[in-house]
Amino acid sequence: MKALLLAGGFGTRMRPLTERLPKPMAPVGNRPWLEHLIAGLKEQGINEIVIAVKHYPERIIDYFGDGRKLGVDIRYTHEPVPLGTAGAVKNAEALLGSRFVVINADIVHRADIRALVETHERSGAMVTIGLVEVADPSQFGVVEQSADGRIVRFVEKPPRGEAPSNRINAGIYIMERDVLQAIPAGREVSIERETFPSLIAAGHRVQGADVSGYWMDMGTSDRYRRIHWDLLDGKLELELPGRELGRGIRIGEDTEIAQGAMLVPPVLVGSRVTIGERAVVGPYAVIGDDCVIGRGARVTHSILWDRCTAAEAAQLNRCIVGSGLKIDPRHLLHEAVVNVIPEAETI
Protein backbone atom coordinates (compact mmCIF):
# COMPACT_ATOMS: atom_id res chain seq x y z
CA MET A 1 0.00 0.00 0.00
CA LYS A 2 1.18 3.53 -0.81
CA ALA A 3 1.09 6.52 1.49
CA LEU A 4 0.28 10.07 0.40
CA LEU A 5 1.68 12.69 2.77
CA LEU A 6 0.12 16.14 2.59
CA ALA A 7 3.01 18.47 3.36
CA GLY A 8 2.00 21.76 1.81
CA GLY A 9 0.88 23.95 4.73
CA PHE A 10 2.50 27.24 5.73
CA GLY A 11 1.82 26.81 9.44
CA THR A 12 0.78 30.42 9.98
CA ARG A 13 0.28 29.94 13.73
CA MET A 14 3.89 28.74 14.04
CA ARG A 15 5.40 31.81 12.45
CA PRO A 16 8.10 33.04 12.42
CA LEU A 17 9.52 29.50 12.73
CA THR A 18 7.83 28.33 9.53
CA GLU A 19 8.28 31.58 7.60
CA ARG A 20 10.44 29.81 5.01
CA LEU A 21 9.97 26.23 6.08
CA PRO A 22 7.16 23.72 5.41
CA LYS A 23 5.65 22.93 8.80
CA PRO A 24 6.33 19.15 8.59
CA MET A 25 10.05 19.96 8.27
CA ALA A 26 10.12 21.56 11.72
CA PRO A 27 12.49 19.49 13.88
CA VAL A 28 11.13 17.21 16.57
CA GLY A 29 13.92 15.88 18.72
CA ASN A 30 16.55 17.39 16.35
CA ARG A 31 15.19 15.61 13.29
CA PRO A 32 12.54 16.88 10.83
CA TRP A 33 9.14 15.53 11.85
CA LEU A 34 8.58 14.40 8.27
CA GLU A 35 11.63 12.14 8.56
CA HIS A 36 10.24 10.55 11.73
CA LEU A 37 6.92 10.04 9.95
CA ILE A 38 8.50 8.33 6.95
CA ALA A 39 10.61 6.12 9.21
CA GLY A 40 7.47 5.11 11.13
CA LEU A 41 5.64 4.19 7.93
CA LYS A 42 8.59 2.07 6.81
CA GLU A 43 8.44 0.20 10.13
CA GLN A 44 4.85 -0.71 9.27
CA GLY A 45 5.76 -2.00 5.83
CA ILE A 46 4.85 1.09 3.79
CA ASN A 47 7.78 1.75 1.49
CA GLU A 48 6.14 3.64 -1.39
CA ILE A 49 5.48 7.25 -0.49
CA VAL A 50 4.09 10.21 -2.38
CA ILE A 51 4.62 13.67 -0.88
CA ALA A 52 2.33 16.52 -1.96
CA VAL A 53 4.47 19.67 -1.73
CA LYS A 54 3.47 23.29 -2.16
CA HIS A 55 5.26 25.97 -0.12
CA TYR A 56 9.09 25.88 -0.34
CA PRO A 57 9.05 22.41 -1.96
CA GLU A 58 12.82 22.46 -2.39
CA ARG A 59 13.26 22.21 1.38
CA ILE A 60 11.60 18.80 1.29
CA ILE A 61 12.85 17.54 -2.08
CA ASP A 62 16.49 18.49 -1.43
CA TYR A 63 16.42 16.80 1.97
CA PHE A 64 14.74 13.50 1.03
CA GLY A 65 15.45 13.13 -2.69
CA ASP A 66 14.11 9.83 -3.96
CA GLY A 67 14.01 8.39 -0.43
CA ARG A 68 16.82 5.92 -1.02
CA LYS A 69 18.77 7.03 2.06
CA LEU A 70 15.76 6.11 4.21
CA GLY A 71 15.14 2.83 2.40
CA VAL A 72 11.89 3.97 0.76
CA ASP A 73 10.73 5.15 -2.66
CA ILE A 74 9.54 8.77 -2.64
CA ARG A 75 7.78 10.63 -5.43
CA TYR A 76 6.41 14.15 -5.41
CA THR A 77 3.41 16.08 -6.65
CA HIS A 78 3.22 19.89 -6.94
CA GLU A 79 0.10 22.01 -6.73
CA PRO A 80 -0.08 24.49 -9.63
CA VAL A 81 -2.64 26.46 -7.59
CA PRO A 82 -3.92 25.93 -4.01
CA LEU A 83 -6.05 22.78 -4.16
CA GLY A 84 -7.08 22.09 -0.56
CA THR A 85 -6.80 18.72 1.14
CA ALA A 86 -8.98 16.77 -1.30
CA GLY A 87 -7.59 18.62 -4.29
CA ALA A 88 -4.08 17.60 -3.30
CA VAL A 89 -5.22 13.96 -3.18
CA LYS A 90 -6.81 14.27 -6.63
CA ASN A 91 -3.64 15.90 -7.95
CA ALA A 92 -1.68 12.77 -6.95
CA GLU A 93 -4.13 10.39 -8.65
CA ALA A 94 -1.65 9.10 -11.23
CA LEU A 95 0.75 7.96 -8.48
CA LEU A 96 -1.75 6.22 -6.19
CA GLY A 97 -2.82 2.59 -6.10
CA SER A 98 -6.14 0.82 -5.61
CA ARG A 99 -5.98 1.48 -1.85
CA PHE A 100 -3.80 4.04 -0.09
CA VAL A 101 -3.33 5.92 3.16
CA VAL A 102 -3.46 9.72 3.29
CA ILE A 103 -1.78 11.51 6.19
CA ASN A 104 -1.68 15.19 7.11
CA ALA A 105 2.07 15.43 7.59
CA ASP A 106 2.01 18.24 10.16
CA ILE A 107 0.35 16.05 12.81
CA VAL A 108 2.73 14.30 15.19
CA HIS A 109 1.58 10.78 15.94
CA ARG A 110 2.53 7.15 16.42
CA ALA A 111 -0.56 5.68 14.81
CA ASP A 112 -0.97 1.99 14.06
CA ILE A 113 -1.79 2.19 10.35
CA ARG A 114 -2.13 -1.59 10.07
CA ALA A 115 -4.93 -1.59 12.65
CA LEU A 116 -6.77 1.08 10.65
CA VAL A 117 -6.43 -1.01 7.49
CA GLU A 118 -7.87 -4.06 9.28
CA THR A 119 -10.89 -2.02 10.45
CA HIS A 120 -11.29 -0.66 6.93
CA GLU A 121 -11.32 -4.14 5.42
CA ARG A 122 -13.79 -5.53 7.97
CA SER A 123 -16.26 -2.69 7.47
CA GLY A 124 -16.10 -2.65 3.68
CA ALA A 125 -15.89 1.15 3.79
CA MET A 126 -14.88 3.40 0.93
CA VAL A 127 -13.00 5.57 3.43
CA THR A 128 -11.90 4.94 7.00
CA ILE A 129 -11.04 8.03 9.00
CA GLY A 130 -8.73 7.80 11.98
CA LEU A 131 -10.29 9.43 15.05
CA VAL A 132 -8.91 10.67 18.36
CA GLU A 133 -10.71 11.87 21.48
CA VAL A 134 -9.93 15.32 22.84
CA ALA A 135 -11.12 17.11 25.96
CA ASP A 136 -12.23 20.22 24.04
CA PRO A 137 -13.34 19.53 20.46
CA SER A 138 -14.41 23.11 19.73
CA GLN A 139 -11.27 23.83 17.67
CA PHE A 140 -11.58 20.73 15.49
CA GLY A 141 -13.84 18.89 13.07
CA VAL A 142 -16.06 16.58 15.17
CA VAL A 143 -17.75 13.40 13.94
CA GLU A 144 -21.07 11.82 14.84
CA GLN A 145 -21.20 8.02 14.45
CA SER A 146 -23.73 5.24 14.47
CA ALA A 147 -23.36 2.27 16.83
CA ASP A 148 -21.29 0.31 14.27
CA GLY A 149 -18.79 3.13 13.77
CA ARG A 150 -20.21 4.51 10.56
CA ILE A 151 -19.86 8.30 10.34
CA VAL A 152 -23.21 10.01 9.78
CA ARG A 153 -22.16 13.65 9.85
CA PHE A 154 -19.36 16.13 10.51
CA VAL A 155 -19.58 19.24 12.66
CA GLU A 156 -16.79 21.76 12.04
CA LYS A 157 -15.55 23.53 15.18
CA PRO A 158 -18.78 23.30 17.21
CA PRO A 159 -19.34 25.77 20.07
CA ARG A 160 -18.03 24.54 23.41
CA GLY A 161 -20.48 22.09 24.95
CA GLU A 162 -22.50 21.55 21.75
CA ALA A 163 -20.34 18.91 20.02
CA PRO A 164 -22.08 15.57 19.23
CA SER A 165 -18.97 13.74 20.50
CA ASN A 166 -15.36 14.30 21.57
CA ARG A 167 -14.04 12.35 18.59
CA ILE A 168 -12.22 14.43 16.00
CA ASN A 169 -10.65 13.81 12.62
CA ALA A 170 -7.04 12.71 13.22
CA GLY A 171 -5.92 13.56 9.69
CA ILE A 172 -5.25 9.91 8.76
CA TYR A 173 -7.40 8.22 6.10
CA ILE A 174 -7.51 4.80 4.45
CA MET A 175 -9.05 5.25 0.99
CA GLU A 176 -10.23 3.15 -1.89
CA ARG A 177 -9.36 4.52 -5.32
CA ASP A 178 -13.07 5.08 -6.10
CA VAL A 179 -12.95 8.07 -3.75
CA LEU A 180 -10.98 9.95 -6.40
CA GLN A 181 -14.02 9.96 -8.68
CA ALA A 182 -15.86 12.10 -6.11
CA ILE A 183 -13.19 14.84 -6.16
CA PRO A 184 -13.37 17.41 -8.97
CA ALA A 185 -10.06 18.20 -10.66
CA GLY A 186 -8.39 21.57 -11.07
CA ARG A 187 -9.95 23.49 -8.18
CA GLU A 188 -9.64 23.82 -4.42
CA VAL A 189 -11.59 21.09 -2.60
CA SER A 190 -11.84 20.49 1.15
CA ILE A 191 -11.83 16.83 2.10
CA GLU A 192 -13.56 17.54 5.43
CA ARG A 193 -16.23 19.98 4.24
CA GLU A 194 -16.91 18.67 0.73
CA THR A 195 -15.62 15.20 -0.11
CA PHE A 196 -16.55 13.23 3.00
CA PRO A 197 -20.03 14.78 3.41
CA SER A 198 -20.78 14.17 -0.29
CA LEU A 199 -19.75 10.52 0.02
CA ILE A 200 -22.04 10.10 3.05
CA ALA A 201 -24.90 11.82 1.25
CA ALA A 202 -24.45 9.45 -1.71
CA GLY A 203 -24.80 6.44 0.60
CA HIS A 204 -21.15 5.35 0.62
CA ARG A 205 -19.76 3.97 3.86
CA VAL A 206 -17.39 6.32 5.65
CA GLN A 207 -16.09 4.54 8.72
CA GLY A 208 -14.53 6.03 11.83
CA ALA A 209 -11.89 4.13 13.79
CA ASP A 210 -10.05 5.17 16.93
CA VAL A 211 -6.33 5.78 16.53
CA SER A 212 -4.29 4.36 19.38
CA GLY A 213 -1.00 5.83 20.45
CA TYR A 214 0.33 9.37 20.62
CA TRP A 215 -1.36 12.17 18.64
CA MET A 216 -0.81 15.93 18.64
CA ASP A 217 -1.53 18.63 16.06
CA MET A 218 1.69 20.63 15.67
CA GLY A 219 -0.22 23.74 14.60
CA THR A 220 0.85 26.23 17.30
CA SER A 221 4.04 27.09 19.15
CA ASP A 222 2.43 25.97 22.44
CA ARG A 223 1.63 22.53 21.00
CA TYR A 224 5.11 22.37 19.50
CA ARG A 225 6.58 22.86 22.97
CA ARG A 226 4.19 20.27 24.41
CA ILE A 227 5.33 17.72 21.84
CA HIS A 228 8.93 18.18 22.97
CA TRP A 229 8.11 17.93 26.67
CA ASP A 230 6.18 14.74 25.90
CA LEU A 231 9.21 13.46 23.99
CA LEU A 232 11.52 14.17 26.92
CA ASP A 233 9.04 12.57 29.35
CA GLY A 234 8.78 9.41 27.23
CA LYS A 235 5.12 9.92 26.32
CA LEU A 236 6.12 10.26 22.66
CA GLU A 237 8.48 7.49 21.61
CA LEU A 238 10.75 8.35 18.70
CA GLU A 239 14.17 7.13 17.67
CA LEU A 240 16.61 9.79 18.86
CA PRO A 241 20.26 10.31 17.96
CA GLY A 242 23.07 10.24 20.49
CA ARG A 243 23.68 8.30 23.70
CA GLU A 244 22.41 8.34 27.25
CA LEU A 245 24.79 10.27 29.50
CA GLY A 246 22.58 9.70 32.53
CA ARG A 247 18.93 9.18 33.32
CA GLY A 248 16.98 11.72 31.27
CA ILE A 249 20.10 13.13 29.56
CA ARG A 250 20.96 12.31 25.94
CA ILE A 251 23.81 13.88 23.98
CA GLY A 252 25.04 13.55 20.42
CA GLU A 253 28.47 12.88 18.97
CA ASP A 254 31.47 15.23 19.44
CA THR A 255 29.66 17.38 21.99
CA GLU A 256 31.88 19.18 24.50
CA ILE A 257 30.65 19.99 28.01
CA ALA A 258 32.95 22.22 30.05
CA GLN A 259 33.83 21.55 33.65
CA GLY A 260 31.25 23.10 35.94
CA ALA A 261 28.47 23.09 33.34
CA MET A 262 25.25 21.48 34.44
CA LEU A 263 22.74 19.40 32.48
CA VAL A 264 19.43 19.19 34.36
CA PRO A 265 17.23 16.33 33.12
CA PRO A 266 15.26 15.84 31.06
CA VAL A 267 17.42 17.24 28.30
CA LEU A 268 18.38 16.37 24.73
CA VAL A 269 21.61 17.81 23.30
CA GLY A 270 22.59 17.36 19.65
CA SER A 271 25.95 16.64 18.03
CA ARG A 272 28.97 19.00 17.89
CA VAL A 273 27.53 21.21 20.62
CA THR A 274 29.75 23.26 22.91
CA ILE A 275 28.52 24.02 26.43
CA GLY A 276 30.64 26.52 28.37
CA GLU A 277 31.71 26.73 31.99
CA ARG A 278 28.94 27.17 34.56
CA ALA A 279 26.27 27.03 31.87
CA VAL A 280 22.98 25.39 32.86
CA VAL A 281 20.97 23.47 30.27
CA GLY A 282 17.59 22.09 31.33
CA PRO A 283 15.28 20.98 32.65
CA TYR A 284 13.19 20.47 29.53
CA ALA A 285 15.70 21.71 26.99
CA VAL A 286 16.32 20.49 23.45
CA ILE A 287 19.53 21.76 21.87
CA GLY A 288 20.11 21.21 18.13
CA ASP A 289 23.31 20.25 16.34
CA ASP A 290 26.28 22.66 16.13
CA CYS A 291 24.96 24.98 18.85
CA VAL A 292 27.05 26.97 21.32
CA ILE A 293 25.88 27.57 24.88
CA GLY A 294 28.20 30.20 26.31
CA ARG A 295 29.84 30.55 29.69
CA GLY A 296 27.24 31.09 32.40
CA ALA A 297 24.32 30.90 29.98
CA ARG A 298 21.09 29.30 31.11
CA VAL A 299 18.63 27.49 28.80
CA THR A 300 15.52 26.05 30.43
CA HIS A 301 12.19 24.80 29.03
CA SER A 302 13.43 25.86 25.60
CA ILE A 303 14.06 24.46 22.13
CA LEU A 304 17.03 25.59 20.06
CA TRP A 305 17.25 24.48 16.46
CA ASP A 306 20.60 23.79 14.74
CA ARG A 307 23.53 26.25 14.72
CA CYS A 308 22.20 28.52 17.47
CA THR A 309 24.31 30.46 19.95
CA ALA A 310 23.30 31.53 23.44
CA ALA A 311 26.24 33.76 24.28
CA GLU A 312 27.82 34.35 27.69
CA ALA A 313 25.29 34.75 30.52
CA ALA A 314 22.30 34.78 28.17
CA GLN A 315 19.13 33.38 29.73
CA LEU A 316 16.33 31.65 27.82
CA ASN A 317 13.17 30.33 29.43
CA ARG A 318 10.25 28.78 27.51
CA CYS A 319 11.72 29.91 24.19
CA ILE A 320 11.85 28.45 20.68
CA VAL A 321 14.83 29.63 18.65
CA GLY A 322 15.12 29.06 14.90
CA SER A 323 18.20 27.73 13.12
CA GLY A 324 21.34 29.87 13.00
CA LEU A 325 20.21 32.55 15.42
CA LYS A 326 22.49 34.18 17.98
CA ILE A 327 21.32 35.44 21.36
CA ASP A 328 23.72 38.14 22.51
CA PRO A 329 25.54 38.13 25.87
CA ARG A 330 23.39 38.72 28.96
CA HIS A 331 20.16 38.90 27.00
CA LEU A 332 17.10 37.57 28.83
CA LEU A 333 14.29 36.00 26.79
CA HIS A 334 11.08 34.57 28.23
CA GLU A 335 8.43 32.77 26.14
CA ALA A 336 10.01 34.14 22.95
CA VAL A 337 9.55 32.49 19.55
CA VAL A 338 12.30 33.88 17.33
CA ASN A 339 13.79 33.12 13.95
CA VAL A 340 16.43 34.55 11.65
CA ILE A 341 15.19 37.44 9.54
CA PRO A 342 16.92 38.41 6.26
CA GLU A 343 18.32 41.74 7.47
CA ALA A 344 19.95 40.51 10.69
CA GLU A 345 20.73 37.32 12.52
CA THR A 346 21.36 38.71 15.97
CA ILE A 347 18.92 39.51 18.76
Side-chain angles (χ1 to χ4, degrees):
M1 186 172 66
K2 293 185 178 182
L4 171 61
L5 309 182
L6 306 180
F10 257 131
T12 54
R13 289 186 292 174
M14 281 185 65
R15 286 177 174 169
L17 296 170
T18 55
E19 195 68 44
R20 295 181 298 276
L21 184 75
K23 190 165 50 167
M25 290 297 288
V28 173
N30 294 339
R31 186 183 187 187
W33 163 244
L34 190 54
E35 186 174 355
H36 286 295
L37 176 55
I38 292 170
L41 291 172
K42 183 188 175 188
E43 288 175 6
Q44 299 191 61
I46 300 175
N47 299 311
E48 295 182 78
I49 294 167
V50 180
I51 303 180
V53 295
K54 182 167 57 177
H55 302 299
Y56 302 104
E58 69 281 356
R59 300 296 296 270
I60 293 175
I61 296 170
D62 291 349
Y63 189 91
F64 292 105
D66 62 6
R68 193 175 308 171
K69 69 178 183 180
L70 296 179
V72 297
D73 175 46
I74 298 178
R75 301 188 183 189
Y76 301 91
T77 61
H78 301 253
E79 295 184 27
V81 295
L83 294 174
T85 46
V89 175
K90 181 71 172 181
N91 192 49
E93 184 171 8
L95 299 178
L96 301 174
S98 59
R99 177 183 293 160
F100 50 92
V101 56
V102 177
I103 299 175
N104 288 344
D106 57 357
I107 292 174
V108 175
H109 64 84
R110 296 293 288 169
D112 187 343
I113 302 299
R114 289 169 293 197
L116 281 179
V117 172
E118 290 173 4
T119 299
H120 179 79
E121 291 176 340
R122 284 196 306 269
S123 69
M126 184 174 285
V127 180
T128 295
I129 302 174
L131 305 175
V132 293
E133 288 197 4
V134 294
D136 177 15
S138 62
Q139 298 302 308
F140 300 94
V142 181
V143 303
E144 182 177 346
Q145 294 173 273
S146 61
D148 62 355
R150 187 170 186 153
I151 295 176
V152 296
R153 70 178 178 124
F154 294 84
V155 181
E156 186 67 23
K157 297 183 179 179
R160 191 183 297 268
E162 297 183 18
S165 77
N166 280 10
R167 283 191 172 93
I168 67 167
N169 179 353
I172 305 170
Y173 319 115
I174 311 298
M175 292 185 173
E176 298 297 316
R177 189 173 183 84
D178 288 346
V179 172
L180 298 170
Q181 298 176 13
I183 305 173
R187 72 167 178 87
E188 187 170 357
V189 186
S190 166
I191 205 166
E192 301 90 348
R193 292 189 294 273
E194 294 183 59
T195 305
F196 292 155
S198 68
L199 289 173
I200 292 170
H204 298 296
R205 188 178 189 97
V206 177
Q207 188 77 7
D210 291 342
V211 171
S212 59
Y214 189 89
W215 186 93
M216 180 75 71
D217 183 346
M218 193 169 55
T220 68
S221 56
D222 284 343
R223 290 183 201 150
Y224 183 71
R225 287 190 189 95
R226 181 75 263 163
I227 287 165
H228 279 83
W229 308 163
D230 289 345
L231 179 68
L232 293 176
D233 284 337
K235 297 176 183 176
L236 169 60
E237 296 183 359
L238 297 175
E239 183 178 345
L240 297 174
R243 59 186 175 88
E244 291 283 348
L245 187 65
R247 185 175 178 84
I249 298 175
R250 177 177 286 271
I251 65 169
E253 297 179 357
D254 301 320
T255 285
E256 298 180 3
I257 303 172
Q259 187 173 0
M262 184 180 298
L263 301 183
V264 183
V267 63
L268 171 64
V269 180
S271 297
R272 301 173 301 279
V273 174
T274 300
I275 300 177
E277 295 179 2
R278 297 199 297 277
V280 178
V281 178
Y284 292 99
V286 177
I287 310 299
D289 295 342
D290 302 298
C291 288
V292 175
I293 309 300
R295 184 174 182 271
R298 187 178 185 99
V299 180
T300 62
H301 290 85
S302 295
I303 304 157
L304 275 61
W305 290 7
D306 295 346
R307 306 183 310 281
C308 291
T309 297
E312 181 177 357
Q315 295 189 38
L316 287 76
N317 180 50
R318 296 186 59 81
C319 296
I320 309 173
V321 181
S323 297
L325 200 143
K326 179 179 179 181
I327 309 299
D328 276 348
R330 297 176 177 79
H331 270 46
L332 277 65
L333 294 181
H334 176 69
E335 294 189 347
V337 180
V338 291
N339 200 5
V340 170
I341 55 178
E343 293 76 18
E345 297 189 1
T346 301
I347 285 185

